[in-house]
Amino acid sequence: MTLTRFVVRRAAGGLVFALVVASLTLLIARLAPGDATTGEAIAMTVEQRAALRADLGLDQPLLTQYGRWLVGLTRFDLGRSSLFKRPVADLVGERALNTALLAVVALVVASLVGIPLGRYTGASHAMLARAVGAASVAVLSLPPLLSALLLVLVAAHTGWLPAGGMTSGGLSGAAWLADLAWHLPVPVLALALPLAATLERVQSRAMAEAIGRPFVDASRARGLTRERTLRVHAWPASLAPVLGIYGVLVGAIFSGSFVVEVVTSWPGLGRLLFDALLARDVWLVAGCGAAGAASLAVATTMADVVHATLDPRLLERRG
Amino acid sequence: MLGLTALFWSTRQPAPSGRLEQGAQAPLPRGGTLVASLRTEPRSFNRLVSRDVATEIVTLLTQARLVRVNRATQQVEPWLAETWTTSPDGQVFTLTLREGLQWSDGAPFTSADVAFTFKAIFDPTTKSVLASGLEVDGQPLTTATPDAHTVVVTYPRPFGPGIRLLDNVVILPRHKLEAAVASGTLSDAWTPTTPPADIVGMGPFVLTRYEPGQRLTFARNPRYWRRDAAGQALPYLDGLVLAIVPNADAELLGLRSGQIDMTQQQLRAEDIATARDLERKGLVTVQEAGVTLDPDVFFFNLRPAAWAKDPRGTWLLTDAFRQAISHAVDREAYANTVYLGAAVPVHGPITPGNKDWFWPDLPRYPFDQAKARALLAGLGLTNRDADPWLEDAAGTEARFTLLAFRSLDRGAQVLKESLEAVGVAVDVVTLETGALIERMVTGRFETIFFNYVSSDTDPAMQRDLWLSSGSGHIWNISQPTPATPWEAQIDDLITRQAASIDQAERVRLFREVQRIFSEHLPALYFAAPRVYLAVSTRVRNATPGVSRPQLIWSADTLAVAPAAALR
């Protein structure tokens, strides 16, 4: 299989995946008790509520509503949010950018921390390496909710960093960028710490396995220094399994961002989904689900492409 | 005599041009920006089409009404209308508007704007959420504008709250929205995507920026009409920011870190100690506004059909069963356990926080477990086996399911333990808000523990709760005809009370309503928390009230100390 064909197949699969996830989230949101009119039901007469349900199209059978939504999708119309009275595509677009920023920075930070540490711990038996490994296991057991709460508490008590939010407002240009960077550490660390620990553990194991393989011994026998052997032969060989988990990590980032955004008041997709679920805004829930699934599909495809580029056997295996 | 009094009655007058009466005190600092939290995002900037809290708060900042209900005193104050007179029959209010007022874009404000607003509210294409609240017995209020500064509002029938009803009417600019009303698109006007410059008002602030998910930024309205006692133009603040903070924990952390100056609503009982600690460190001041208007409420599903095939219905629907429950709960202990002492025991829906309508002599059910057991025994409920629960003659256990808001689980637990002590088993199920409300309005519940936010202190403005046909008659919603004789009696009394313009008679009638309510106990109340608010020490002139929003309602007179004054 050529790389182009591989990418096209993965992209098509990603589209189907996003559609299935969005449909399932829509169905699950519809199955929850109540609908978009529930929040105001106590302030309305039965007739007023029925009229509002009709206005929102909620009086139609589920299949009819779903069919209309599918037709809308062909025009990139994700429906209209009953909560915000705005097109879902606009809302999701605004918030997905904020989540993407958080996710990308968290992924970069996790990679910059986790991979070098894993490379070190996989190649060393020193006390420090064992301590780093133990710390990773401890961080891995820390769910993003807890790490976010701890970091927010530290920020609020010390005043070193903002305890929440994305920007301070009233700023523009370079000052806005600097302010954004000032707000990033708490949510980014909350998301990145468990990812960095995951990467460290995977990289460490892969590195240890690579070191034990014959070609590493052969390169040492050819007179290469230990450090050069590790850098030129062992480490590149160990990267394949690490790249393979990036797709999974992106999924973890999106599920983690759901709680981190709520705790740190970050205006992203996770918080939007949370608000939409509480308000029974089914189209917005489906839109958030579709955006999350599409991001996951894109990220896993990119990870697989890089993986396939580094290890062409992957394309051969997939025929 | 009363009629003559009404004829010549007009409101307590403010100083000319809306000046505040202010005692001898240090002048308040002018300038600065205050940051308040907002829990949710506004669904619209048009109060006519949206009733969510965020829209209401944005409207309080940017728009104005003819009269205002002061959240601290709970009394009506002149606002855009400087004075008014009432006809002897209480049906016609002639309001004189302040002269020389301008919208934030400089356009003159006249009675035509008021007439336009009423027209927009009652236009069916607007689908205004305010329309039904501005009807009396299903008939809309009508307006006439004899001149540019006079508005005559006619009620279809005498209505007890009178001019108070107009606190709900947010006056909209005709020159900006007339085309939308004409084309039937007002419901889509002034959405969160509307450029802020297009949103014109007569409130103390103008919206300058909305950053979804983050904040709304407001600047002083330079054409705002109100002045303080020294003649200084209000508001004191240069700007105000509503920071969107999704939960109470984040709000408290924001206060601690100085990111926000005040919270949208009162502190939770469990946060008061933390706030007191911050107060000792000089970061905030904790202010008590009084006792809440909205106590937690526990009620049974009193729809007879819901229990038709359930053997428990024979005793569960009786007054005596609910009276036994009322006797079984130690309200003092409840207030101390659930609200950590920051609450007062209550015996009915009207709390001491409601200054005009609270009745201290309301019949009570003192804590008395023996009496509770005796009442239950009178219903045939005695312990007939080895377990601790009572059973009826057929062996059916005295047991029911209690649905509770997740935030009320502590109260639900105390209630469960109190009832278990007299042999009644309670299975508590906590639900999130949407699921619980859906169960409530569709009648799929046995009992519910809930918090009901009242819209006004005047019972005639809460007819949805009192009338058997009301959507807020939570124990048996929207009855076509009253299910019980006592509900028919309450319907009659509330209708007469709402139609009377004699305040003493209204009070008498409402006490009778409360007496009947207390006798039959369709809903039980145990404690009402005190409303505590935490504000940054740099905030000056905060005037907390018990009605929501407790602090930001007086945004035009809030001030912040300059940084130098805090060093």
Side-chain angles (χ1 to χ4, degrees), chain B residues 176-201:
Chain B
K176 295 294 285 187
L177 294 170
E178 191 168 30
V181 172
S183 60
T185 56
L186 187 67
S187 57
D188 295 323
W190 284 9
T191 66
T193 53
T194 303
D198 287 351
I199 297 165
V200 167

PDB file of all heavy atoms in Angstrom, chain B residues 176-201:
ATOM      1  N   LYS B 176     -33.762  51.411  17.764  1.00  0.00           N
ATOM      2  CA  LYS B 176     -32.856  50.336  17.363  1.00  0.00           C
ATOM      3  C   LYS B 176     -33.596  49.051  16.993  1.00  0.00           C
ATOM      4  O   LYS B 176     -33.075  48.252  16.213  1.00  0.00           O
ATOM      5  CB  LYS B 176     -31.893  50.005  18.512  1.00  0.00           C
ATOM      6  CG  LYS B 176     -30.935  51.099  18.890  1.00  0.00           C
ATOM      7  CD  LYS B 176     -29.930  51.437  17.809  1.00  0.00           C
ATOM      8  CE  LYS B 176     -28.838  50.411  17.665  1.00  0.00           C
ATOM      9  NZ  LYS B 176     -27.793  50.860  16.715  1.00  0.00           N
ATOM     10  N   LEU B 177     -34.762  48.830  17.576  1.00  0.00           N
ATOM     11  CA  LEU B 177     -35.394  47.509  17.434  1.00  0.00           C
ATOM     12  C   LEU B 177     -36.759  47.529  16.752  1.00  0.00           C
ATOM     13  O   LEU B 177     -37.383  46.483  16.598  1.00  0.00           O
ATOM     14  CB  LEU B 177     -35.518  46.852  18.818  1.00  0.00           C
ATOM     15  CG  LEU B 177     -34.182  46.493  19.486  1.00  0.00           C
ATOM     16  CD1 LEU B 177     -34.385  46.089  20.939  1.00  0.00           C
ATOM     17  CD2 LEU B 177     -33.483  45.364  18.737  1.00  0.00           C
ATOM     18  N   GLU B 178     -37.191  48.711  16.334  1.00  0.00           N
ATOM     19  CA  GLU B 178     -38.528  48.787  15.720  1.00  0.00           C
ATOM     20  C   GLU B 178     -38.613  47.910  14.461  1.00  0.00           C
ATOM     21  O   GLU B 178     -39.606  47.210  14.246  1.00  0.00           O
ATOM     22  CB  GLU B 178     -38.855  50.243  15.380  1.00  0.00           C
ATOM     23  CG  GLU B 178     -40.314  50.438  15.004  1.00  0.00           C
ATOM     24  CD  GLU B 178     -40.686  51.908  14.960  1.00  0.00           C
ATOM     25  OE1 GLU B 178     -39.804  52.737  14.654  1.00  0.00           O
ATOM     26  OE2 GLU B 178     -41.849  52.228  15.232  1.00  0.00           O
ATOM     27  N   ALA B 179     -37.552  47.929  13.675  1.00  0.00           N
ATOM     28  CA  ALA B 179     -37.572  47.149  12.426  1.00  0.00           C
ATOM     29  C   ALA B 179     -37.669  45.654  12.740  1.00  0.00           C
ATOM     30  O   ALA B 179     -38.369  44.903  12.038  1.00  0.00           O
ATOM     31  CB  ALA B 179     -36.320  47.449  11.612  1.00  0.00           C
ATOM     32  N   ALA B 180     -36.976  45.225  13.794  1.00  0.00           N
ATOM     33  CA  ALA B 180     -37.005  43.796  14.152  1.00  0.00           C
ATOM     34  C   ALA B 180     -38.402  43.373  14.578  1.00  0.00           C
ATOM     35  O   ALA B 180     -38.872  42.288  14.220  1.00  0.00           O
ATOM     36  CB  ALA B 180     -36.003  43.517  15.262  1.00  0.00           C
ATOM     37  N   VAL B 181     -39.084  44.239  15.327  1.00  0.00           N
ATOM     38  CA  VAL B 181     -40.451  43.903  15.750  1.00  0.00           C
ATOM     39  C   VAL B 181     -41.368  43.870  14.531  1.00  0.00           C
ATOM     40  O   VAL B 181     -42.185  42.948  14.369  1.00  0.00           O
ATOM     41  CB  VAL B 181     -40.966  44.913  16.801  1.00  0.00           C
ATOM     42  CG1 VAL B 181     -42.444  44.678  17.099  1.00  0.00           C
ATOM     43  CG2 VAL B 181     -40.153  44.789  18.087  1.00  0.00           C
ATOM     44  N   ALA B 182     -41.200  44.850  13.658  1.00  0.00           N
ATOM     45  CA  ALA B 182     -42.057  44.920  12.458  1.00  0.00           C
ATOM     46  C   ALA B 182     -41.886  43.681  11.592  1.00  0.00           C
ATOM     47  O   ALA B 182     -42.849  43.185  10.994  1.00  0.00           O
ATOM     48  CB  ALA B 182     -41.731  46.182  11.673  1.00  0.00           C
ATOM     49  N   SER B 183     -40.664  43.169  11.520  1.00  0.00           N
ATOM     50  CA  SER B 183     -40.426  42.000  10.663  1.00  0.00           C
ATOM     51  C   SER B 183     -40.595  40.688  11.429  1.00  0.00           C
ATOM     52  O   SER B 183     -40.340  39.611  10.876  1.00  0.00           O
ATOM     53  CB  SER B 183     -39.014  42.080  10.070  1.00  0.00           C
ATOM     54  OG  SER B 183     -38.065  42.095  11.119  1.00  0.00           O
ATOM     55  N   GLY B 184     -40.982  40.785  12.684  1.00  0.00           N
ATOM     56  CA  GLY B 184     -41.209  39.558  13.471  1.00  0.00           C
ATOM     57  C   GLY B 184     -39.935  38.839  13.837  1.00  0.00           C
ATOM     58  O   GLY B 184     -39.936  37.634  14.080  1.00  0.00           O
ATOM     59  N   THR B 185     -38.806  39.564  13.888  1.00  0.00           N
ATOM     60  CA  THR B 185     -37.519  38.899  14.163  1.00  0.00           C
ATOM     61  C   THR B 185     -36.886  39.364  15.484  1.00  0.00           C
ATOM     62  O   THR B 185     -35.693  39.166  15.693  1.00  0.00           O
ATOM     63  CB  THR B 185     -36.509  39.165  13.018  1.00  0.00           C
ATOM     64  OG1 THR B 185     -36.369  40.588  12.853  1.00  0.00           O
ATOM     65  CG2 THR B 185     -36.971  38.549  11.717  1.00  0.00           C
ATOM     66  N   LEU B 186     -37.684  39.944  16.371  1.00  0.00           N
ATOM     67  CA  LEU B 186     -37.106  40.426  17.633  1.00  0.00           C
ATOM     68  C   LEU B 186     -36.510  39.279  18.453  1.00  0.00           C
ATOM     69  O   LEU B 186     -35.538  39.466  19.178  1.00  0.00           O
ATOM     70  CB  LEU B 186     -38.149  41.179  18.468  1.00  0.00           C
ATOM     71  CG  LEU B 186     -37.579  41.845  19.718  1.00  0.00           C
ATOM     72  CD1 LEU B 186     -36.637  42.986  19.355  1.00  0.00           C
ATOM     73  CD2 LEU B 186     -38.667  42.352  20.641  1.00  0.00           C
ATOM     74  N   SER B 187     -37.100  38.091  18.296  1.00  0.00           N
ATOM     75  CA  SER B 187     -36.572  36.961  19.076  1.00  0.00           C
ATOM     76  C   SER B 187     -35.145  36.615  18.658  1.00  0.00           C
ATOM     77  O   SER B 187     -34.426  35.949  19.404  1.00  0.00           O
ATOM     78  CB  SER B 187     -37.483  35.743  18.944  1.00  0.00           C
ATOM     79  OG  SER B 187     -37.621  35.410  17.592  1.00  0.00           O
ATOM     80  N   ASP B 188     -34.736  37.062  17.461  1.00  0.00           N
ATOM     81  CA  ASP B 188     -33.367  36.790  17.016  1.00  0.00           C
ATOM     82  C   ASP B 188     -32.471  38.021  17.137  1.00  0.00           C
ATOM     83  O   ASP B 188     -31.313  37.999  16.689  1.00  0.00           O
ATOM     84  CB  ASP B 188     -33.369  36.310  15.557  1.00  0.00           C
ATOM     85  CG  ASP B 188     -34.077  34.987  15.416  1.00  0.00           C
ATOM     86  OD1 ASP B 188     -33.940  34.154  16.326  1.00  0.00           O
ATOM     87  OD2 ASP B 188     -34.798  34.801  14.420  1.00  0.00           O
ATOM     88  N   ALA B 189     -33.015  39.111  17.698  1.00  0.00           N
ATOM     89  CA  ALA B 189     -32.206  40.330  17.817  1.00  0.00           C
ATOM     90  C   ALA B 189     -31.414  40.299  19.117  1.00  0.00           C
ATOM     91  O   ALA B 189     -31.826  39.676  20.093  1.00  0.00           O
ATOM     92  CB  ALA B 189     -33.120  41.546  17.803  1.00  0.00           C
ATOM     93  N   TRP B 190     -30.307  40.964  19.116  1.00  0.00           N
ATOM     94  CA  TRP B 190     -29.448  41.087  20.302  1.00  0.00           C
ATOM     95  C   TRP B 190     -29.045  39.725  20.873  1.00  0.00           C
ATOM     96  O   TRP B 190     -29.233  39.425  22.051  1.00  0.00           O
ATOM     97  CB  TRP B 190     -30.138  41.916  21.383  1.00  0.00           C
ATOM     98  CG  TRP B 190     -30.142  43.383  21.095  1.00  0.00           C
ATOM     99  CD1 TRP B 190     -29.761  43.987  19.929  1.00  0.00           C
ATOM    100  CD2 TRP B 190     -30.540  44.441  21.966  1.00  0.00           C
ATOM    101  NE1 TRP B 190     -29.898  45.351  20.032  1.00  0.00           N
ATOM    102  CE2 TRP B 190     -30.373  45.648  21.274  1.00  0.00           C
ATOM    103  CE3 TRP B 190     -31.019  44.488  23.267  1.00  0.00           C
ATOM    104  CZ2 TRP B 190     -30.678  46.893  21.835  1.00  0.00           C
ATOM    105  CZ3 TRP B 190     -31.317  45.705  23.824  1.00  0.00           C
ATOM    106  CH2 TRP B 190     -31.141  46.901  23.120  1.00  0.00           C
ATOM    107  N   THR B 191     -28.490  38.914  19.998  1.00  0.00           N
ATOM    108  CA  THR B 191     -27.950  37.624  20.435  1.00  0.00           C
ATOM    109  C   THR B 191     -26.501  37.847  20.893  1.00  0.00           C
ATOM    110  O   THR B 191     -25.950  38.935  20.682  1.00  0.00           O
ATOM    111  CB  THR B 191     -27.955  36.607  19.284  1.00  0.00           C
ATOM    112  OG1 THR B 191     -27.032  37.059  18.290  1.00  0.00           O
ATOM    113  CG2 THR B 191     -29.333  36.457  18.681  1.00  0.00           C
ATOM    114  N   PRO B 192     -25.867  36.839  21.464  1.00  0.00           N
ATOM    115  CA  PRO B 192     -24.476  37.018  21.881  1.00  0.00           C
ATOM    116  C   PRO B 192     -23.510  37.325  20.737  1.00  0.00           C
ATOM    117  O   PRO B 192     -22.375  37.734  20.993  1.00  0.00           O
ATOM    118  CB  PRO B 192     -24.141  35.673  22.543  1.00  0.00           C
ATOM    119  CG  PRO B 192     -25.452  35.199  23.067  1.00  0.00           C
ATOM    120  CD  PRO B 192     -26.446  35.603  22.021  1.00  0.00           C
ATOM    121  N   THR B 193     -23.937  37.133  19.482  1.00  0.00           N
ATOM    122  CA  THR B 193     -23.030  37.471  18.376  1.00  0.00           C
ATOM    123  C   THR B 193     -23.261  38.889  17.859  1.00  0.00           C
ATOM    124  O   THR B 193     -22.540  39.352  16.989  1.00  0.00           O
ATOM    125  CB  THR B 193     -23.217  36.483  17.198  1.00  0.00           C
ATOM    126  OG1 THR B 193     -24.600  36.443  16.868  1.00  0.00           O
ATOM    127  CG2 THR B 193     -22.735  35.111  17.558  1.00  0.00           C
ATOM    128  N   THR B 194     -24.265  39.577  18.395  1.00  0.00           N
ATOM    129  CA  THR B 194     -24.519  40.954  17.966  1.00  0.00           C
ATOM    130  C   THR B 194     -23.337  41.834  18.385  1.00  0.00           C
ATOM    131  O   THR B 194     -22.863  41.729  19.522  1.00  0.00           O
ATOM    132  CB  THR B 194     -25.806  41.486  18.653  1.00  0.00           C
ATOM    133  OG1 THR B 194     -26.875  40.606  18.339  1.00  0.00           O
ATOM    134  CG2 THR B 194     -26.129  42.897  18.213  1.00  0.00           C
ATOM    135  N   PRO B 195     -22.855  42.697  17.479  1.00  0.00           N
ATOM    136  CA  PRO B 195     -21.758  43.597  17.895  1.00  0.00           C
ATOM    137  C   PRO B 195     -22.191  44.430  19.106  1.00  0.00           C
ATOM    138  O   PRO B 195     -23.293  44.998  19.103  1.00  0.00           O
ATOM    139  CB  PRO B 195     -21.557  44.476  16.650  1.00  0.00           C
ATOM    140  CG  PRO B 195     -22.119  43.687  15.520  1.00  0.00           C
ATOM    141  CD  PRO B 195     -23.241  42.880  16.090  1.00  0.00           C
ATOM    142  N   PRO B 196     -21.371  44.506  20.134  1.00  0.00           N
ATOM    143  CA  PRO B 196     -21.770  45.226  21.349  1.00  0.00           C
ATOM    144  C   PRO B 196     -22.236  46.658  21.085  1.00  0.00           C
ATOM    145  O   PRO B 196     -23.121  47.154  21.775  1.00  0.00           O
ATOM    146  CB  PRO B 196     -20.497  45.203  22.194  1.00  0.00           C
ATOM    147  CG  PRO B 196     -19.785  43.980  21.764  1.00  0.00           C
ATOM    148  CD  PRO B 196     -20.060  43.845  20.302  1.00  0.00           C
ATOM    149  N   ALA B 197     -21.667  47.303  20.071  1.00  0.00           N
ATOM    150  CA  ALA B 197     -22.046  48.699  19.808  1.00  0.00           C
ATOM    151  C   ALA B 197     -23.517  48.820  19.421  1.00  0.00           C
ATOM    152  O   ALA B 197     -24.118  49.890  19.559  1.00  0.00           O
ATOM    153  CB  ALA B 197     -21.171  49.261  18.694  1.00  0.00           C
ATOM    154  N   ASP B 198     -24.099  47.727  18.921  1.00  0.00           N
ATOM    155  CA  ASP B 198     -25.515  47.762  18.519  1.00  0.00           C
ATOM    156  C   ASP B 198     -26.456  47.627  19.717  1.00  0.00           C
ATOM    157  O   ASP B 198     -27.659  47.804  19.578  1.00  0.00           O
ATOM    158  CB  ASP B 198     -25.818  46.619  17.534  1.00  0.00           C
ATOM    159  CG  ASP B 198     -25.227  46.898  16.166  1.00  0.00           C
ATOM    160  OD1 ASP B 198     -24.756  48.037  15.964  1.00  0.00           O
ATOM    161  OD2 ASP B 198     -25.218  45.984  15.330  1.00  0.00           O
ATOM    162  N   ILE B 199     -25.906  47.257  20.862  1.00  0.00           N
ATOM    163  CA  ILE B 199     -26.764  47.052  22.040  1.00  0.00           C
ATOM    164  C   ILE B 199     -26.802  48.350  22.842  1.00  0.00           C
ATOM    165  O   ILE B 199     -25.813  48.746  23.455  1.00  0.00           O
ATOM    166  CB  ILE B 199     -26.265  45.862  22.874  1.00  0.00           C
ATOM    167  CG1 ILE B 199     -26.378  44.614  21.999  1.00  0.00           C
ATOM    168  CG2 ILE B 199     -27.071  45.704  24.154  1.00  0.00           C
ATOM    169  CD1 ILE B 199     -25.626  43.439  22.505  1.00  0.00           C
ATOM    170  N   VAL B 200     -27.950  48.982  22.753  1.00  0.00           N
ATOM    171  CA  VAL B 200     -28.122  50.321  23.325  1.00  0.00           C
ATOM    172  C   VAL B 200     -29.029  50.202  24.542  1.00  0.00           C
ATOM    173  O   VAL B 200     -29.990  49.441  24.524  1.00  0.00           O
ATOM    174  CB  VAL B 200     -28.752  51.224  22.251  1.00  0.00           C
ATOM    175  CG1 VAL B 200     -29.252  52.522  22.844  1.00  0.00           C
ATOM    176  CG2 VAL B 200     -27.735  51.496  21.149  1.00  0.00           C
ATOM    177  N   GLY B 201     -28.702  50.934  25.594  1.00  0.00           N
ATOM    178  CA  GLY B 201     -29.534  50.841  26.788  1.00  0.00           C
ATOM    179  C   GLY B 201     -29.518  52.110  27.604  1.00  0.00           C
ATOM    180  O   GLY B 201     -28.928  53.119  27.204  1.00  0.00           O
TER     181      GLY B 201
END
